[in-house]
Amino acid sequence: MYHLLQTSFVYDRFFASFMPTYENVDGTISKVSSPFTEISDKTLNTMDASHYSAIKDNLYAATPEIEDSQFNAAFFPLFPLVWKAFFLPATGIIFLNFLIHVIAAMILAFVFCKNSVINALLVIFTLPTLTVFLIPYSEAVFMLSVSIAMLGWKRQNKYMYIGGLLAASMTRPVFLLMIAA
C-alpha cells in the first residue's frame, strides 16, 4: 500500500489535495507536492529521530563530527537506551515501537475498559495518531511507561506506579507533572 503513495500517478490523483508532503533541505523544512519517499534508515533518521539515533550511538557526546549533537541534551535517555539494547536500525525500531504500542494499548484497555477490551483496542488502532508510533520517536516507550504507572495505580502497587512514572520521566519532559501525581 505504501508503495502506491510513492508513485506520482497515485499521489497526484488521489492524495495531493489533502495529504501534503514535506521536504527537509539543509535544515529548512518546506511543504511540497511530491510523492512520499521510500522508507529507509536514511529517511527515518531525520528531525528528532536523528537526535535519538545520535544518543543511541554516542550517548551525549557533543563532537563536531555529529551534526547538531550540541542539542541532544534536550532529549531524554530512555528511548535511545531501549533502541540501543535491541541493536536495531531505524527501520527495525519502527516495528519495536509498534509492538511496544500494542502492549501499552492492551494494558490501558485492560485497566480502563475491562468489559470491552476488543472494542477499546479497535478504537486505539484506528486513530490517526497511530502514525507517531511508527517512526523512531519516544512516544511508544512513553505510552508504555504511563500504562505501567496506570496499571500500578489500578492494582494499588506503589512500586509499579512509581516505576512507571520514573520511566515516563526518563522518556519525555513530564517530570514536573509527575510530581503532583
Side-chain angles (χ1 to χ4, degrees):
M1 176 65 181
Y2 186 78
H3 182 67
L4 292 175
L5 294 174
Q6 294 174 331
T7 62
S8 295
F9 177 81
V10 172
Y11 179 79
D12 291 340
R13 282 165 185 73
F14 300 105
F15 299 104
S17 63
F18 68 92
M19 195 181 285
T21 54
Y22 296 87
E23 190 173 69
N24 184 348
V25 178
D26 297 328
T28 303
I29 299 171
S30 49
K31 190 175 181 179
V32 296
S33 183
S34 63
F36 291 92
T37 58
E38 153 184 34
I39 296 176
S40 68
D41 287 339
K42 182 182 177 196
T43 58
L44 287 172
N45 271 329
T46 58
M47 296 190 230
D48 287 1
S50 66
H51 294 282
Y52 288 125
S53 181
I55 295 168
K56 170 189 66 103
D57 295 336
N58 306 296
L59 295 177
Y60 287 93
T63 62
E65 299 86 39
I66 305 169
E67 186 180 342
D68 294 334
S69 63
Q70 68 269 19
F71 302 115
N72 286 349
F75 295 88
F76 286 62
L78 188 58
F79 173 67
L81 293 175
V82 168
W83 189 355
K84 185 175 189 149
F86 283 91
F87 302 102
L88 293 171
T91 50
I93 197 66
I94 61 175
F95 293 106
L96 180 63
N97 268 357
F98 183 71
L99 177 64
I100 291 171
H101 169 68
V102 168
I103 293 168
M106 290 173 66
I107 291 170
L108 287 176
F110 174 76
V111 169
F112 294 109
C113 306
K114 198 169 187 174
N115 295 335
S116 59
V117 172
I118 300 297
N119 291 343
L121 291 175
L122 286 174
V123 169
I124 289 170
F125 293 129
T126 57
L127 294 175
T129 54
L130 176 67
T131 57
V132 77
F133 299 104
L134 300 174
I135 53 178
Y137 281 13
S138 64
E139 276 72 4
V141 174
F142 177 73
M143 184 176 170
L144 179 62
S145 303
V146 172
S147 299
I148 290 170
M150 293 294 102
L151 183 61
W153 169 75
K154 182 81 169 178
R155 291 185 175 178
Q156 297 182 343
N157 181 331
K158 64 181 177 182
Y159 298 110
M160 185 183 290
Y161 177 68
I162 291 171
L165 293 180
L166 179 64
S169 65
M170 291 176 58
T171 308
R172 307 286 299 164
V174 295
F175 53 91
L176 292 175
L177 296 174
M178 299 301 179
I179 289 172

